[in-house]
Amino acid sequence: DQQVKQNSPSLSVQEGRISILNCDYTNSMFDYFLWYKKYPAEGPTFLISISSIKDKNEDGRFTVFLNKSAKHLSLHIVPSQPGDSAVYFCAASVSSARQLTFGSGTQLTVLP
Amino acid sequence: EPEVTQTPSHQVTQMGQEVILRCVPISNHLYFYWYRQILGQKVEFLVSFYNNEISEKSEIFDDQFSVERPDGSNFTLKIRSTKLEDSAMYFCASTTSTGATGELFFGEGSRLTVL
């Protein structure tokens, strides 16, 4: 049951360039979407979120775009920095519920 | 900065043994969660807890699992009789938010290895 899918297990980007991480979902009941970052041996850390009433949310170098008709969201990091190298998880929830459904993650490597 | 703390960081146990994983959520948080990640797989929801009772639980959270908030600070996950497939990283999380839209703060995880 893959309600949230991250089809790219890994992505390498040059420092200073844009990183684009993608996520697709199938459950049309999802109305809140989040990105978490995870370093080895640490728990996931919240990065940015977006409600389904918006199509874009920006926080510093991080922007999340939501395309509801395509059931697709993406995370843009610009400019990418070596410290951004981590696993990025997309997650979704139905706001009436309290559980997050996570994607399988994308390992981002930013090369100096 | 307040954080969620978990103990132990790593526990090795024999199949069939009971295990208790402990968590200290952030002090003013109201909602508590356990998630797990089997090596190489997704982070999966196990259970949420609010007002001293379970709010939601997944199919994974069967009768072998239980949660408790024995005092005002600790939140525990007990696995009654561990199986090999329980080997995973277990993450505790907490939030202040009254809905699922709140940011979850995760602990660093407890790695459980069942032999």
Side-chain angles (χ1 to χ4, degrees):
Chain A
D1 175 19
Q2 293 194 59
Q3 296 188 67
V4 178
K5 290 185 262 191
Q6 293 177 257
N7 291 319
S8 299
S10 64
L11 174 69
S12 288
V13 168
Q14 209 67 38
E15 181 180 4
R17 299 289 186 103
I18 185 170
S19 296
I20 300 176
L21 297 109
N22 293 302
C23 178
D24 297 292
Y25 62 96
T26 56
N27 187 345
S28 54
M29 297 295 291
F30 288 144
D31 57 5
Y32 199 75
F33 305 90
L34 309 92
W35 284 93
Y36 278 81
K37 178 169 77 170
K38 186 180 180 302
Y39 294 115
E42 293 185 12
T45 304
F46 172 77
L47 205 52
I48 193 168
S49 62
I50 188 166
S51 162
S52 59
I53 61 173
K54 294 187 172 183
D55 53 21
K56 177 183 172 181
N57 188 26
E58 193 171 346
D59 183 3
R61 296 184 298 115
F62 302 92
T63 303
V64 55
F65 295 92
L66 175 63
N67 181 336
K68 280 189 296 184
S69 60
K71 294 193 176 68
H72 177 84
L73 64 154
S74 60
L75 174 68
H76 293 209
I77 307 172
V78 55
S80 302
Q81 299 172 354
D84 295 329
S85 297
V87 177
Y88 288 77
F89 291 99
C90 169
S93 71
V94 177
S95 55
S96 59
R98 301 191 197 289
Q99 55 176 286
L100 294 178
T101 301
F102 282 86
S104 53
T106 297
Q107 171 70 58
L108 173 66
T109 303
V110 180
L111 305 166
Chain B
E1 187 175 317
E3 57 182 20
V4 175
T5 57
Q6 290 184 241
T7 53
S9 55
H10 188 193
Q11 180 153 359
V12 181
T13 190
Q14 294 290 323
M15 190 169 59
Q17 295 296 305
E18 176 182 283
V19 159
I20 298 176
L21 304 178
R22 291 182 167 80
C23 170
V24 179
I26 295 173
S27 61
N28 63 336
H29 285 189
L30 302 173
Y31 293 87
F32 314 111
Y33 304 80
W34 284 99
Y35 283 78
R36 79 171 185 191
Q37 185 180 26
I38 295 171
L39 187 64
Q41 297 187 23
K42 296 183 181 188
V43 176
E44 301 172 292
F45 169 79
L46 291 179
V47 66
S48 61
F49 192 86
Y50 170 70
N51 202 24
N52 283 321
E53 59 183 26
I54 291 173
S55 306
E56 293 172 309
K57 59 182 181 179
S58 70
E59 298 162 351
I60 304 166
F61 194 87
D62 62 23
D63 293 343
Q64 292 299 313
F65 290 87
S66 62
V67 289
E68 199 176 37
R69 191 157 157 81
D71 53 43
S73 58
N74 289 286
F75 178 51
T76 62
L77 174 69
K78 183 193 291 186
I79 308 174
R80 224 179 312 279
S81 177
T82 50
K83 303 189 281 281
L84 295 176
E85 53 265 37
D86 294 328
S87 295
M89 182 72 91
Y90 289 80
F91 293 105
C92 174
S94 68
T95 185
T96 56
S97 174
T98 55
T101 56
E103 173 190 345
L104 291 189
F105 292 81
F106 284 85
E108 293 191 345
S110 293
R111 180 170 297 285
L112 176 64
T113 301
V114 182
L115 302 176

Coordinates of all heavy atoms in Angstrom, one line a residue, chain A residues 7-46:
Chain A
N7 N 9.8 8.2 -6.0 CA 10.3 7.2 -6.9 C 11.8 7.3 -7.1 O 12.4 6.4 -7.7 CB 9.6 7.4 -8.3 CG 8.1 7.0 -8.2 OD1 7.8 6.0 -7.6 ND2 7.2 7.8 -8.8
S8 N 12.4 8.4 -6.7 CA 13.9 8.5 -6.8 C 14.5 8.2 -5.5 O 14.4 9.0 -4.5 CB 14.3 9.9 -7.2 OG 13.7 10.2 -8.5
P9 N 15.2 7.0 -5.4 CA 15.9 6.7 -4.1 C 17.1 7.6 -3.8 O 17.4 7.8 -2.7 CB 16.3 5.2 -4.3 CG 16.3 5.0 -5.7 CD 15.3 5.9 -6.3
S10 N 17.6 8.2 -4.9 CA 18.8 9.0 -4.6 C 18.9 10.1 -5.7 O 18.3 10.0 -6.8 CB 20.1 8.2 -4.6 OG 20.3 7.6 -5.9
L11 N 19.6 11.2 -5.3 CA 19.8 12.4 -6.1 C 21.1 13.0 -5.8 O 21.4 13.2 -4.6 CB 18.6 13.4 -5.9 CG 18.7 14.7 -6.6 CD1 18.5 14.5 -8.1 CD2 17.6 15.7 -6.1
S12 N 21.9 13.3 -6.8 CA 23.2 14.0 -6.5 C 23.1 15.4 -7.3 O 22.7 15.4 -8.4 CB 24.3 13.2 -7.1 OG 24.6 12.1 -6.3
V13 N 23.5 16.4 -6.6 CA 23.5 17.8 -7.1 C 24.8 18.5 -6.7 O 25.3 18.3 -5.7 CB 22.3 18.5 -6.5 CG1 22.3 20.0 -6.8 CG2 21.0 17.9 -7.0
Q14 N 25.2 19.4 -7.6 CA 26.4 20.2 -7.3 C 26.0 21.3 -6.4 O 24.9 21.9 -6.5 CB 26.9 20.8 -8.7 CG 28.4 21.0 -8.7 CD 29.2 19.7 -8.7 OE1 28.8 18.7 -9.2 NE2 30.3 19.7 -8.0
E15 N 26.9 21.6 -5.5 CA 26.7 22.7 -4.6 C 26.4 24.0 -5.3 O 27.0 24.3 -6.4 CB 28.0 22.9 -3.7 CG 27.9 24.1 -2.7 CD 29.2 24.2 -1.9 OE1 30.2 23.5 -2.2 OE2 29.2 25.1 -1.0
G16 N 25.4 24.7 -4.8 CA 25.0 26.0 -5.4 C 23.8 25.8 -6.4 O 23.2 26.8 -6.8
R17 N 23.6 24.6 -6.9 CA 22.6 24.3 -7.8 C 21.3 24.1 -7.1 O 21.2 24.0 -5.9 CB 22.9 23.1 -8.7 CG 24.2 23.3 -9.5 CD 24.0 24.3 -10.7 NE 25.1 24.4 -11.6 CZ 25.2 23.9 -12.8 NH1 24.2 23.2 -13.3 NH2 26.2 24.1 -13.5
I18 N 20.2 23.9 -7.9 CA 18.9 23.6 -7.3 C 18.7 22.1 -7.2 O 19.1 21.3 -8.0 CB 17.8 24.2 -8.2 CG1 16.4 24.0 -7.5 CG2 17.8 23.6 -9.6 CD1 15.3 24.7 -8.2
S19 N 18.2 21.7 -6.0 CA 17.8 20.3 -5.8 C 16.3 20.2 -5.9 O 15.6 21.0 -5.3 CB 18.2 19.8 -4.4 OG 19.6 19.8 -4.3
I20 N 15.8 19.3 -6.6 CA 14.3 19.1 -6.7 C 14.0 17.7 -6.4 O 14.4 16.7 -7.0 CB 13.8 19.4 -8.2 CG1 14.1 20.8 -8.5 CG2 12.3 19.1 -8.2 CD1 13.8 21.2 -10.0
L21 N 13.2 17.5 -5.3 CA 12.8 16.2 -4.8 C 11.3 16.1 -5.0 O 10.6 17.0 -4.7 CB 13.2 16.0 -3.3 CG 14.7 16.1 -3.0 CD1 15.0 17.4 -2.3 CD2 15.1 14.9 -2.2
N22 N 10.9 14.9 -5.6 CA 9.6 14.7 -6.0 C 8.8 13.7 -5.1 O 9.5 12.8 -4.6 CB 9.5 14.3 -7.4 CG 10.0 15.4 -8.4 OD1 9.4 16.5 -8.4 ND2 11.0 15.1 -9.1
C23 N 7.5 13.9 -5.1 CA 6.7 13.0 -4.3 C 5.3 12.9 -4.9 O 4.8 13.9 -5.4 CB 6.6 13.6 -2.9 SG 5.6 12.6 -1.7
D24 N 4.8 11.7 -5.0 CA 3.4 11.5 -5.5 C 2.6 10.8 -4.5 O 3.1 10.0 -3.7 CB 3.5 10.6 -6.8 CG 4.2 11.3 -7.9 OD1 3.8 12.3 -8.4 OD2 5.3 10.8 -8.2
Y25 N 1.3 11.1 -4.5 CA 0.4 10.5 -3.6 C -0.9 10.0 -4.3 O -1.2 10.5 -5.4 CB 0.0 11.4 -2.4 CG -0.7 12.6 -2.8 CD1 -2.1 12.7 -2.7 CD2 0.0 13.8 -3.2 CE1 -2.8 13.9 -3.0 CE2 -0.7 14.9 -3.5 CZ -2.0 15.0 -3.4 OH -2.7 16.1 -3.8
T26 N -1.5 9.0 -3.7 CA -2.7 8.4 -4.3 C -4.0 8.7 -3.6 O -5.0 8.7 -4.1 CB -2.5 6.9 -4.5 OG1 -2.3 6.3 -3.2 CG2 -1.4 6.6 -5.4
N27 N -3.9 9.0 -2.3 CA -5.0 9.2 -1.4 C -5.5 10.6 -1.5 O -4.9 11.5 -1.1 CB -4.7 8.8 0.0 CG -5.9 8.8 0.9 OD1 -7.0 9.3 0.6 ND2 -5.7 8.2 2.1
S28 N -6.7 10.8 -2.2 CA -7.2 12.1 -2.4 C -7.7 12.8 -1.1 O -8.1 13.9 -1.1 CB -8.3 12.1 -3.4 OG -9.3 11.2 -3.1
M29 N -7.8 12.0 0.0 CA -8.2 12.5 1.3 C -7.1 13.3 2.0 O -7.3 14.1 2.9 CB -8.6 11.4 2.2 CG -9.8 10.6 1.7 SD -11.3 11.6 1.7 CE -11.6 11.9 3.4
F30 N -5.8 13.1 1.5 CA -4.7 13.8 2.1 C -4.9 15.3 1.9 O -5.2 15.7 0.8 CB -3.4 13.4 1.5 CG -2.9 12.0 1.9 CD1 -2.2 11.2 1.0 CD2 -3.1 11.5 3.2 CE1 -1.8 10.0 1.4 CE2 -2.7 10.3 3.6 CZ -2.0 9.5 2.7
D31 N -4.8 16.1 2.9 CA -4.9 17.5 2.8 C -3.8 18.3 3.4 O -3.9 19.6 3.6 CB -6.3 18.0 3.3 CG -6.5 17.6 4.7 OD1 -5.6 17.1 5.4 OD2 -7.6 17.9 5.2
Y32 N -2.8 17.6 3.9 CA -1.6 18.3 4.5 C -0.4 17.5 4.2 O -0.4 16.3 4.3 CB -1.8 18.4 6.0 CG -1.0 19.5 6.6 CD1 -1.3 20.8 6.5 CD2 0.1 19.2 7.4 CE1 -0.5 21.8 7.1 CE2 0.9 20.1 8.0 CZ 0.6 21.5 7.8 OH 1.3 22.4 8.4
F33 N 0.6 18.2 3.8 CA 1.8 17.5 3.3 C 3.1 18.2 3.9 O 3.1 19.4 4.1 CB 1.9 17.7 1.7 CG 0.7 17.2 1.0 CD1 -0.4 18.0 0.8 CD2 0.6 15.9 0.7 CE1 -1.5 17.6 0.2 CE2 -0.5 15.4 0.0 CZ -1.6 16.2 -0.2
L34 N 4.0 17.3 4.2 CA 5.2 17.8 5.0 C 6.5 17.1 4.3 O 6.4 16.1 3.7 CB 5.1 17.3 6.4 CG 3.9 17.7 7.2 CD1 2.8 16.5 7.1 CD2 4.2 18.0 8.7
W35 N 7.6 17.8 4.5 CA 8.9 17.3 4.2 C 9.7 17.2 5.5 O 9.7 18.1 6.3 CB 9.6 18.1 3.2 CG 9.0 17.9 1.8 CD1 8.1 18.7 1.2 CD2 9.4 17.0 0.8 NE1 7.9 18.3 -0.1 CE2 8.7 17.2 -0.3 CE3 10.4 15.9 0.8 CZ2 8.8 16.4 -1.5 CZ3 10.5 15.1 -0.3 CH2 9.7 15.4 -1.5
Y36 N 10.3 16.0 5.7 CA 11.2 15.8 6.8 C 12.6 15.5 6.2 O 12.7 14.9 5.2 CB 10.7 14.7 7.7 CG 9.7 15.1 8.7 CD1 8.3 15.2 8.3 CD2 10.0 15.4 10.0 CE1 7.3 15.5 9.2 CE2 9.0 15.7 10.9 CZ 7.7 15.8 10.5 OH 6.7 16.2 11.4
K37 N 13.6 15.9 7.0 CA 15.0 15.6 6.6 C 15.5 14.6 7.7 O 15.2 14.8 8.9 CB 15.8 16.9 6.6 CG 17.2 16.7 6.3 CD 17.9 18.1 6.0 CE 18.1 18.9 7.2 NZ 19.0 20.1 6.9
K38 N 16.3 13.7 7.3 CA 16.9 12.8 8.3 C 18.3 12.5 8.0 O 18.7 12.1 6.9 CB 16.1 11.4 8.2 CG 16.5 10.5 9.3 CD 15.7 9.2 9.3 CE 16.2 8.2 10.4 NZ 17.6 7.9 10.3
Y39 N 19.1 12.8 9.1 CA 20.6 12.4 9.0 C 20.7 11.0 9.6 O 19.9 10.6 10.4 CB 21.4 13.4 9.8 CG 21.4 14.8 9.2 CD1 20.9 15.9 9.9 CD2 22.0 15.1 8.0 CE1 20.9 17.2 9.4 CE2 22.1 16.3 7.4 CZ 21.5 17.4 8.1 OH 21.5 18.6 7.6
P40 N 21.8 10.3 9.3 CA 22.0 9.0 9.9 C 22.1 9.1 11.4 O 22.6 10.1 12.0 CB 23.4 8.6 9.4 CG 23.6 9.4 8.1 CD 22.8 10.7 8.3
A41 N 21.5 8.1 12.1 CA 21.5 8.0 13.5 C 20.7 9.1 14.2 O 20.9 9.4 15.4 CB 22.9 7.9 14.1
E42 N 19.9 9.8 13.5 CA 19.0 10.8 14.1 C 17.6 10.6 13.7 O 17.3 9.9 12.7 CB 19.4 12.2 13.7 CG 20.8 12.6 14.2 CD 21.1 14.1 13.8 OE1 20.2 14.8 13.4 OE2 22.3 14.5 14.0
G43 N 16.6 11.2 14.4 CA 15.2 11.1 14.0 C 14.9 12.1 12.9 O 15.7 13.0 12.7
P44 N 13.8 11.9 12.2 CA 13.4 12.9 11.2 C 13.2 14.3 11.8 O 12.7 14.4 12.9 CB 12.1 12.3 10.7 CG 12.1 10.9 11.0 CD 12.9 10.8 12.3
T45 N 13.6 15.3 11.0 CA 13.5 16.7 11.5 C 12.5 17.4 10.5 O 12.8 17.3 9.3 CB 14.8 17.4 11.5 OG1 15.7 16.7 12.3 CG2 14.7 18.8 12.0
F46 N 11.5 18.1 11.0 CA 10.6 18.8 10.2 C 11.3 19.9 9.4 O 12.1 20.6 9.9 CB 9.5 19.4 11.0 CG 8.6 20.3 10.3 CD1 7.6 19.8 9.5 CD2 8.7 21.7 10.5 CE1 6.7 20.7 8.8 CE2 7.9 22.6 9.8 CZ 6.9 22.0 9.0

